[in-house]
Amino acid sequence: DAVIVWTTETAPLEDNVRAAAHPADGPWQPGETLSRFGLNPELTVDARGDAVAVWEGRSGVEAAIKPVGGRWLAPQTVGTPRGDEPQGPQVASDASGDAIVVAPVQAHGQASTGIEGAVRPAGGMFSPPQAISRQREKALDPSIAMNARGDAIVAWDEQVPTGCVLRAAFRSAGGAWGAPRTVPDGHEF
């Protein structure tokens, strides 16, 4: 099976988040609207075929789940609102269907104030968002990866007085996020 997500502008300031599936034994299914207002959609599909789509919505980071062979479930808010300059959330899943969504935290009219993440155990609901980076950290552009076992790492750029440094935090499967660390010999500029 294959699944895709995208945005379609339907009116000024109205971007629909849409999704479509292509079963292995059939044609593309008609597209479905997951949200009337959303930007920067991302998608992960686990080894079983369950899909998780995330995007920046009006109420914050939103996520919808499509069980393999099923229909999209109603979206849920999994992160705080981002303000005037939303950055896209990132999502990853492991072989058993656990998923993690990460995104920068941003107050209206302010720069990012850190990175947060929400965790979803296979078949469950997302946890409330938890801080991954220090509060008031000017964190941008998070990227997440998970291995088949569920260990995860998230990395992001942090603005410092001399430019930017690369920071990362690790979470073992089923555990808590470790303290963020600066990646040695990162890309300062």
Side-chain angles (χ1 to χ4, degrees):
D1 294 353
V3 180
I4 58 172
V5 295
W6 71 95
T7 56
T8 302
E9 185 175 345
T10 57
L13 302 175
E14 186 173 311
D15 292 297
N16 289 349
V17 175
R18 309 258 304 148
H22 183 285
D25 60 353
W28 280 101
Q29 303 299 308
E32 298 179 56
T33 299
L34 303 181
S35 174
R36 288 186 53 216
F37 304 100
L39 298 170
N40 305 315
E42 291 289 328
L43 176 74
T44 187
V45 180
D46 65 32
R48 297 180 336 189
D50 294 340
V52 177
V54 298
W55 61 91
E56 181 64 42
R58 284 192 172 168
S59 61
V61 175
E62 296 181 25
I65 300 161
K66 181 187 179 301
V68 66
R71 297 189 51 82
W72 287 97
L73 304 177
Q76 82 177 92
T77 301
V78 298
T80 49
R82 297 291 180 263
D84 301 330
E85 295 183 28
Q87 295 182 30
Q90 299 291 303
V91 62
S93 58
D94 64 18
S96 66
D98 300 330
I100 299 175
V101 175
V102 296
V105 179
Q106 180 183 11
H108 284 285
Q110 296 180 1
S112 168
T113 56
I115 301 294
E116 68 181 13
V119 178
R120 175 189 175 263
M125 300 296 288
F126 279 97
S127 68
Q130 300 171 349
I132 297 173
S133 67
R134 297 180 303 226
Q135 291 182 346
R136 297 194 173 101
E137 186 173 88
K138 293 182 179 177
L140 305 166
D141 302 322
S143 184
I144 186 166
M146 287 178 80
N147 63 18
R149 189 175 63 202
D151 300 324
I153 189 165
V154 62
W156 62 92
D157 290 328
E158 179 184 344
Q159 292 180 349
V160 295
T162 59
C164 280
V165 296
L166 183 63
R167 305 266 292 156
F170 179 78
R171 178 184 184 272
S172 60
W177 288 102
R181 298 196 174 175
T182 301
V183 177
D185 300 317
H187 64 282
E188 293 188 13
F189 57 89

